[in-house]
Amino acid sequence: MANLPALRPWLCLLAAMAAASAPWPPADALGMNWGTQATHPLPPKIVARLLRDNGIKKAKLFDADQETLSALAGTGIEVMVAIPNVMLDTMTDYDTAKEWVRRNVSRYNFDGGVTIKYVAVGNEPFLATYNGTFDKVTFPALQNIQNALNEAGLGDSIKATVPLNADVYMSPKDNPVPSAGRWRADITDLMTQMVQFLSNNSAPFTVNIYPFISLFLNDDFPVNFAFFDGDATPLVDPGNGVSYTNVFDANFDTLVAALKSVGHGDMPIVVGEVGWPTDGDKHATSAYAQRFYNGLLKRLAANAGTPARPNQYIEVYLFGLLDEDIKSVAPGNFERHWGILRYDGQPKYPMDLSGQGQNTMLVPASGVEYLPRTWCVVNTNAGSDAMEKLADNINYACTFADCTALGYGSTCGGMDSNGNASYAFNAFFQVQNQKDEACGFQGLAVPTQTDPSTTTCNFTIQISTTSAGHRRPLGVAVFVLAQLLLLLLLLH
């Protein structure tokens, strides 16, 4: 029987992990997640240039958008294209999978084309909160995509993989240490089969690891254990005597143990997502993000590896490149603030992607066009009758715009009701491309050319529609619905 008092620190760590889930090389060792869930996404050509300007040589996408891939053509940037979860069921038909490979991979395989390295089949499809929705379709889709790549003569250089959340593996409650890592009980057989298939095709295991989530979900989690600067009290794995000083290593090595348990302890592992948000939670700050990346990037540059795989290169994709203002906030308000850059491609804080600690601001996006310098703020001259409707109008604005910065512990938290109203009204006004009728709110709002931003709270000016990217995933539907509700509000 394990010594449970001695293992008690690991129980806390395990719970957090289950819920979350050459020397000095330049940034070509790093990849970057490029998400586009924004009302006004940057144009793909601007983002592709942004990646190159910062020496980023790998990009992980969440779809296979034609304009995005065209922008990446000829750049030499290695790309992971993706099949969204909602398409997995269709990929269980082999002919459909072959056609997808033809249209989204083979067509770009030419001199001066797109350097596609991976195809991501789904995104965290076995997440426990999905309750098995994609369990029966993911592995057949993976098989069909890889077999289609093989048939097209691309299988040697392009591998299909499945980015998985760290909740697919864990350690037993009576032995919650990395060396005891195993697959989650409900998907053990599925994971065993899938790992064997990946191995047969020399494809990597891809996992998303988020130390921030450990901190977010557990107030008792030791803060320093989320970082890499050695300030945490070490936890010793009694199974092998290894000492751990950060949750990333412990999480990664739990996966190594799970792979080893099914005979594939040497399988290549790609960290598909790892990062730290800067807003939307008390722990989501630029200072913490900078601390996290400083430690992570130095370790990656030195090929430090982890205790289970010491002195080894780890392929890592940071999450993410840009803030996304219509990402789901179901996990938390921080979801819209993962970017190392703002929504418009401007840097948030100094960082050195080479891992040498020479922190300077990243090269910002160039050629970005903005809407006029006009904000929408609360009308302090509104009558008392109108002010009684202030809360309802704030709620309306925040239903169709991003107000996550107003939350407790966030950059705009703590303002009075007028400040909250101004932030909400302006957020909605910008999403609506500064249309006159979008700054009414039953007489509670007025436009202004005076920037209402404070030292901590930024009132944004949105990217102009001539500069913003062509796609607005969910954004178009939200925009139309907001217009209809705005009309009803005006008529009320």
Side-chain angles (χ1 to χ4, degrees):
M1 184 64 131
N3 184 341
L4 289 181
L7 295 176
R8 192 162 288 123
W10 287 107
L11 287 168
C12 175
L13 172 61
L14 175 70
M17 286 168 53
S21 257
W24 309 118
D28 54 328
L30 276 178
M32 197 69 66
N33 281 272
W34 175 1
T36 57
Q37 295 187 55
T39 57
H40 294 64
L42 281 174
K45 288 185 178 180
I46 288 180
V47 178
R49 184 168 63 246
L50 175 66
L51 292 171
R52 283 184 295 167
D53 287 347
N54 285 288
I56 298 166
K57 303 294 181 64
K58 300 178 182 181
K60 178 172 171 283
L61 309 178
F62 293 88
D63 53 26
D65 175 69
Q66 182 176 348
E67 187 173 346
T68 299
L69 290 172
S70 295
L72 290 167
T75 63
I77 295 172
E78 290 184 355
V79 179
M80 182 185 295
V81 295
I83 299 170
N85 289 341
V86 293
M87 293 178 60
L88 292 177
D89 184 55
T90 64
M91 295 301 145
T92 60
D93 175 73
Y94 186 60
D95 287 338
T96 303
K98 282 205 304 183
E99 178 61 15
W100 189 94
V101 167
R102 186 191 69 81
R103 291 177 58 87
N104 299 292
V105 181
S106 298
R107 71 184 294 187
Y108 299 104
N109 184 43
F110 58 89
D111 188 23
V114 182
T115 310
I116 296 176
K117 185 178 181 181
Y118 300 116
V119 176
V121 181
N123 183 47
E124 300 186 339
F126 301 152
L127 197 65
T129 54
Y130 289 161
N131 297 315
T133 300
F134 305 106
D135 287 7
K136 293 182 179 179
V137 297
T138 301
F139 184 36
L142 172 69
Q143 292 173 300
N144 284 343
I145 291 297
Q146 186 63 64
N147 290 336
L149 290 168
N150 296 344
E151 185 178 334
L154 302 172
D156 289 340
S157 58
I158 303 176
K159 304 298 181 181
T161 185
V162 181
L164 294 168
N165 186 276
D167 75 346
V168 300
Y169 53 87
M170 55 190 61
S171 302
K173 289 184 178 180
D174 63 350
N175 192 25
V177 295
S179 62
R182 297 293 185 271
W183 304 120
R184 201 174 71 217
D186 61 306
I187 55 171
T188 296
D189 291 342
L190 177 58
M191 290 302 302
T192 301
Q193 296 174 50
M194 196 168 79
V195 166
Q196 183 62 55
F197 180 80
L198 292 171
S199 177
N200 291 345
N201 286 276
S202 301
F205 189 102
T206 303
V207 63
N208 301 337
I209 298 177
Y210 282 108
F212 168 80
I213 301 296
S214 300
L215 199 55
F216 171 73
L217 291 176
N218 188 346
D219 285 337
D220 296 324
F221 189 87
V223 173
N224 289 335
F225 208 66
F227 300 96
F228 300 92
D229 39 28
D231 292 337
T233 301
L235 292 179
V236 179
D237 184 338
N240 53 20
V242 171
S243 179
Y244 286 91
T245 59
N246 68 83
V247 69
F248 178 91
D249 284 355
N251 198 314
F252 189 97
D253 285 358
T254 304
L255 169 58
V256 172
L259 289 168
K260 187 176 180 179
S261 73
V262 293
H264 294 284
D266 59 348
M267 173 169 281
I269 296 173
V270 171
V271 178
E273 297 179 17
V274 63
W276 201 281
T278 57
D279 212 346
D281 180 71
K282 63 182 180 180
H283 296 301
T285 67
S286 291
Y288 270 173
Q290 190 172 4
R291 178 184 175 188
F292 178 78
Y293 283 123
N294 280 346
L296 174 66
L297 295 172
K298 287 179 181 178
R299 287 167 54 90
L300 295 177
N303 288 334
T306 67
R309 292 187 177 180
N311 306 314
Q312 291 188 23
Y313 163 76
I314 301 176
E315 185 171 359
V316 169
Y317 292 80
L318 304 185
F319 191 89
L321 182 63
L322 302 160
D323 284 348
E324 301 171 76
D325 66 350
I326 51 174
K327 276 200 75 180
S328 169
V329 294
N333 287 343
F334 56 84
E335 282 292 338
R336 294 177 177 175
H337 305 279
W338 286 105
I340 60 173
L341 304 172
R342 298 182 346 143
Y343 70 100
D344 56 355
Q346 305 304 304
K348 297 179 179 180
Y349 45 80
M351 66 186 304
D352 182 359
L353 296 177
S354 74
Q356 299 183 59
Q358 304 298 317
N359 290 330
T360 58
M361 287 295 187
L362 297 178
V363 179
S366 59
V368 181
E369 299 177 8
Y370 296 87
L371 295 171
R373 288 183 59 81
T374 301
W375 294 262
C376 180
V377 297
V378 70
N379 180 8
T380 55
N381 295 320
S384 57
D385 290 344
M387 294 302 287
E388 291 179 359
K389 301 177 182 179
L390 188 64
D392 288 341
N393 279 272
I394 292 174
N395 289 336
Y396 171 82
C398 291
T399 299
F400 299 103
D402 178 27
C403 295
T404 53
L406 290 175
Y408 170 74
S410 301
T411 55
C412 300
M415 292 192 295
D416 61 18
S417 59
N418 283 349
N420 290 338
S422 292
Y423 187 92
F425 294 165
N426 183 66
F428 180 84
F429 181 59
Q430 303 299 330
V431 167
Q432 300 292 323
N433 297 312
Q434 298 187 1
K435 292 193 175 186
D436 291 342
E437 61 269 25
C439 189
F441 293 99
Q442 298 177 296
L444 287 168
V446 292
T448 180
Q449 279 70 52
T450 301
D451 187 352
S453 299
T454 69
T455 54
T456 60
C457 181
N458 180 52
F459 284 60
T460 62
I461 294 292
Q462 194 49 269
I463 300 168
S464 78
T465 53
T466 57
S467 176
H470 68 296
R471 289 181 301 158
R472 292 185 185 176
L474 299 180
V476 173
V478 168
F479 183 85
V480 173
L481 182 57
Q483 293 291 331
L484 292 174
L485 290 179
L486 178 60
L487 179 61
L488 291 175
L489 187 65
L490 291 171
L491 294 174
H492 181 65

